[in-house]
Every structure is written in structure tokens, then in C-alpha cells.
């Protein structure tokens, strides 16, 4: 039976998820993404390369936005889940409390320490191996070594300022001025080099440290002190949220707005107000449009008409569908294979590098699955 070739209109319609006043249509995918009965959808790597597009909209060290175009939702969601839970990062895992006379309880302070995002020389962080805890099946684990454990210390004591009496006489009551070390910050954590770590983490610029040095850990008063040793290990967000390299990683589908009938004058201005600023613009009806029979603009030369400017900014609130004057004049939707990602890094990886890391991990997963299938077929 010869295969059917779908028309351009049919292919374009398949890409749009319809957004109506009370329903969402065309949401289901096929059993095999991109495959339809009676049509030839043989895999072609060159065609896939031509259809796949990556566009960066915003790129900052801790914040990035980019579009992935031409892939199925299952692949986009795989990247999102890997970003959240499978990229290994460094975090404080063990806290040994030698002395803590602050008002913050040991377990609360240990929890706060564990949530501090850490960074250091990227090459050194990649060199580190994941520490494997002892279990019933493996009583020894990997053991503590210089290539799987980073040691940090916190030794700090609160004392009166040298000119304490003078400040008090002046009526000063700011604890950060009348006391030394009244506030304990993440920058007070001290990195301790060990063994081969000096190849990667030597020097202030390469040392393991907090991404945000001014994270407040505790407040103290004279006579109180904290003395702790911390062991940092690599882990993944699937084990604990402190290992997640992102504050959030999400995506949305690109909105579409199709004005099917002319919207003019005051209706056009009202229509523009139904959307975020910059989505809908107002333009004058040209003489050519007004003179074209069947255009809907006959006799409206010079009047303002609503035109779509930038759907990227739209939030798909459906506000325009609430108003009867726009009924039958606009169709809303989303592009099924255009995913707009928002990634906020906690700082251990630059936001753009994290996506590349997620690609590497997905590639490794595919290779593992391929080897497993090969073993089954032997």
C-alpha cells in the first residue's frame, strides 16, 4: 500500500495545541511521536538535524532562557528532569560539631550548612568522584579520600569590638559594629586542601567556596563560638534537593495568536489590552488593504487594526475569549514542538553549561540502554 503524503496545512495543524475559552484541544500525541498511520515517517538523521533548532533568548551566569524547537515533549521533559535531579554537584553532607554555643541548635545549623551552594575550579569539580556511603551490602563503601571528599572548617568566636566602651557611650547599638563576628556568614567557611586537591583547588580563585558569600548562618554574642568540620561530597538532586544545580528548571510551549477576522478601532485597542504589553500592536489600515475586495478592511483606510507583534511575551490568559466582540475573530494555541526553557542556576554551573551537561547525561543513558538491548539480543 503506497504511503500518503500529508499536506502542508495538515502538518502545520498537527503542531498546534488549540486553546479555547473552556477547553484545550489537539493535546494527545501519537503512540510513536511524529508518526501517523498510512504515512512514511522513516527516521532520517539529516532531517532531524535540519528541524532541530536551539535559540538562546537570555544568557546570564545564574539565569538563562532558550528555545528547543523540533523535538517531542518526552525529550524536552527528559532534559528538564535531568537538570533538576541528575547533574552531580558538591554539597556539605557530614557536619562534625566540636563546639557550638550559639543559640542555633546543632541540627538546624547543620541543615543550613547543607543547603549552601558551593563552587570551585570547574575542572576540579569534574575530577571529584562520587562518595559511596557504607551499606549492608557494601559495609566499607568507597572510603573517605582526597578525590571524593572536600573538607571545610568553621571556627569563629564572637567578641567585643576594640572600641566597645567608646561606641556604647555614643549610644551605638548595631551589633555588627559593637561586636566582632556578631553575624556568621557563608564566607566564614574555610576550605582545607588535601592531597591531590592542590592540583585543582589551590589559590583563592580556585578554592571551594560558597557561591553567595553573604548567606547568613547564625547570629552570636560575646562568649559564643562555633567550631565545626564539614565534609562535602558529590551527589544528585534525586538523593537530596541540596544537590540540585538549579533553583528551578521549567519550560512552556510557544503561544500562537491567529487573528482570523479584522479587529478595528476601539475594539483593536481593547484587544491589545487583553494581552501583556508588546504582544499585540496597532497599525493603520493601508489603502491597498482597504481597496482589496473581501479583505474585511473595505472603507476603513487609516483606521487602527490589531496585529500580532510578539507571541513570545504572551501568557495565554485567554482574556480576549471572554469578550463577545472578539468571538470568531481570534484563535489561540501553542506550538507543540517549540519548548521555551527557563533555567535558574544555583551557581555551581553556569546556566548555559547545565543544559550541555544534561545532554551528556541523556546520551550516556541512551548508550547504556543500547548496550542492554544488544546483550538481550545475543
Amino acid at each position: 500500500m503506497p504511503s500518503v503524503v500529508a499536506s502542508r496545512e495538515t502538518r502545520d495543524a498537527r503542531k498546534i495545541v488549540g486553546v479555547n475559552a473552556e477547553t484545550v484541544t489537539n493535546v494527545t500525541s501519537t503512540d510513536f511521536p511524529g508518526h501517523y498511520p498510512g504515512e512514511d515517517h522513516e527516521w532520517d538523521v539529516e532531517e532531524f538535524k535540519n528541524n532541530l533548532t536551539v535559540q538562546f533568548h537570555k544568557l546570564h551566569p545564574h539565569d538563562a532562557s532558550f528555545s528547543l524547537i523540533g523535538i517531542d515533549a518526552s525529550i524536552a521533559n527528559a532534559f528538564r528532569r535531568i537538570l533538576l535531579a541528575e547533574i552531580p554537584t558538591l554539597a556539605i553532607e557530614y557536619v562534625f560539631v566540636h563546639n557550638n554555643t550559639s543559640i542555633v541548635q546543632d541540627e538546624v545549623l547543620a541543615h543550613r550548612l547543607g543547603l549552601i551552594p558551593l563552587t570551585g575550579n570547574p575542572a576540579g569539580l569534574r575530577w571529584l568522584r562520587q562518595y559511596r556511603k557504607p551499606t549492608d551490602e557494601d559495609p566499607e563503601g568507597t572510603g573517605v579520600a582526597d578525590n571524593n571528599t572536600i573538607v571545610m572548617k568553621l571556627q569563629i568566636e564572637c567578641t567585643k569590638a576594640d572600641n566597645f566602651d567608646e561606641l556604647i557611650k555614643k549610644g551605638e547599638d548595631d551589633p555588627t559594629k559593637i561586636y566582632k563576628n556578631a553575624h556568621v556568614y557563608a564566607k566564614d567557611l574555610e576550605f582545607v586542601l588535601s592531597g591531590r586537591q592542590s592540583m585543582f583547588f589551590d589559590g583563592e580563585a580556585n578554592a571551594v567556596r560558597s557561591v553567595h558569600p553573604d548567606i547568613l548562618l547564625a547570629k552570636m554574642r560575646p562568649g559564643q563560638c562555633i567550631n565545626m568540620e564539614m565534609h562535602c561530597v558529590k551527589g544528585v538532586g534525586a538523593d537530596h534537593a541540596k544537590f540540585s544545580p538549579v533553583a528551578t528548571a521549567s519550560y512552556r510551549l510557544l503561544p500562537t495568536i491567529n487573528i482570523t477576522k479584522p479587529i478595528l478601532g476601539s475594539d483593536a485597542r481593547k484587544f491589545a489590552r487583553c494581552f501583556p504589553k508588546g504582544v499585540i500592536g496597532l497599525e493603520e489600515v493601508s489603502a491597498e488593504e482597504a481597496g482589496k475586495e473581501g479583505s474585511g478592511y473595505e472603507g476603513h483606510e487609516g483606521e487602527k487594526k490589531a496585529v500580532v507583534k510578539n507571541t513570545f511575551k504572551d501568557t495565554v490568559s485567554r482574556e480576549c475569549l471572554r469578550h463577545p466582540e472578539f468571538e470568531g475573530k481570534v484563535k489561540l494555541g501553542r506550538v507543540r514542538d517549540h519548548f521555551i526553557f527557563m533555567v535558574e542556576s544555583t551557581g555551581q554551573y553556569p546556566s548555559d553549561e547545565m543544559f550541555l551537561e544534561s545532554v551528556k547525561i541523556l546520551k550516556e543513558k541512551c548508550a547504556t540502554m543500547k548496550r542492554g538491548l544488544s546483550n538481550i539480543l545475543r
Side-chain angles (χ1 to χ4, degrees), residues 227-297:
N227 185 2
M228 294 179 167
E229 181 177 306
M230 293 142 284
H231 288 186
C232 314
V233 301
K234 288 181 77 172
V236 294
D239 294 333
H240 195 287
K242 68 184 178 183
F243 291 114
S244 180
V246 296
T248 184
S250 61
Y251 64 76
R252 61 188 177 98
L253 296 177
L254 178 70
T256 62
I257 304 170
N258 183 18
I259 299 176
T260 57
K261 295 181 180 179
I263 302 175
L264 302 166
S266 60
D267 284 351
R269 288 186 286 273
K270 182 177 181 179
F271 186 73
R273 291 195 298 270
C274 292
F275 296 87
K277 187 176 181 180
V279 176
I280 301 296
L282 299 177
E283 295 180 358
E284 290 186 356
V285 177
S286 66
E288 182 182 353
E289 291 172 325
K292 185 177 180 181
E293 186 178 351
S295 66
Y297 296 115

Side-chain angles (χ1 to χ4, degrees), residues 58-65 117-119 209-213 215 245-249 342-354:
K58 180 173 62 175
L59 183 57
H60 302 298
H62 292 176
D63 187 14
S65 175
L118 302 175
T119 187
R209 60 198 181 278
S210 172
V211 174
H212 307 287
I215 296 175
V246 296
T248 184
M342 288 291 296
V343 179
E344 296 179 17
S345 170
T346 57
Q348 191 160 132
Y349 291 93
S351 54
D352 58 331
E353 285 188 16
M354 283 194 300

Side-chain angles (χ1 to χ4, degrees), residues 76-90 130 234-250 341 343-344 346 349 354-355 357-359 361-362 364-365:
N77 197 47
F79 286 134
R80 183 190 66 86
R81 292 174 65 98
I82 290 172
L83 284 167
L84 287 169
E86 297 190 49
I87 297 178
T89 64
L90 188 70
Q130 287 190 247
K234 288 181 77 172
V236 294
D239 294 333
H240 195 287
K242 68 184 178 183
F243 291 114
S244 180
V246 296
T248 184
S250 61
F341 275 77
V343 179
E344 296 179 17
T346 57
Y349 291 93
M354 283 194 300
F355 174 64
E357 290 294 324
S358 69
V359 173
I361 291 174
L362 183 59
E364 291 172 1
K365 287 174 173 285

Side-chain angles (χ1 to χ4, degrees), residues 13 24 92 95 107 115 120 150 197 236 253-254 265 287 300 347 374:
V24 180
I92 295 172
V95 178
E107 59 273 21
L115 294 176
I150 296 291
Q197 294 173 7
V236 294
L253 296 177
L254 178 70
H300 295 284
S374 299

Side-chain angles (χ1 to χ4, degrees), residues 70-122:
I71 61 173
D72 185 69
S74 58
I75 304 300
N77 197 47
F79 286 134
R80 183 190 66 86
R81 292 174 65 98
I82 290 172
L83 284 167
L84 287 169
E86 297 190 49
I87 297 178
T89 64
L90 188 70
I92 295 172
E93 179 73 359
Y94 298 103
V95 178
F96 302 93
V97 182
H98 302 305
N99 192 14
N100 176 23
T101 56
S102 72
I103 62 171
V104 184
Q105 298 95 328
D106 294 352
E107 59 273 21
V108 175
L109 185 53
H111 181 262
R112 292 177 67 84
L113 289 166
L115 294 176
I116 296 174
L118 302 175
T119 187
N121 183 359

Side-chain angles (χ1 to χ4, degrees), residues 6-17:
S7 65
R8 180 63 180 269
E9 292 76 11
T10 300
R11 294 198 301 271
D12 291 343
R14 287 170 178 172
K15 288 187 175 183
I16 303 300
V17 177

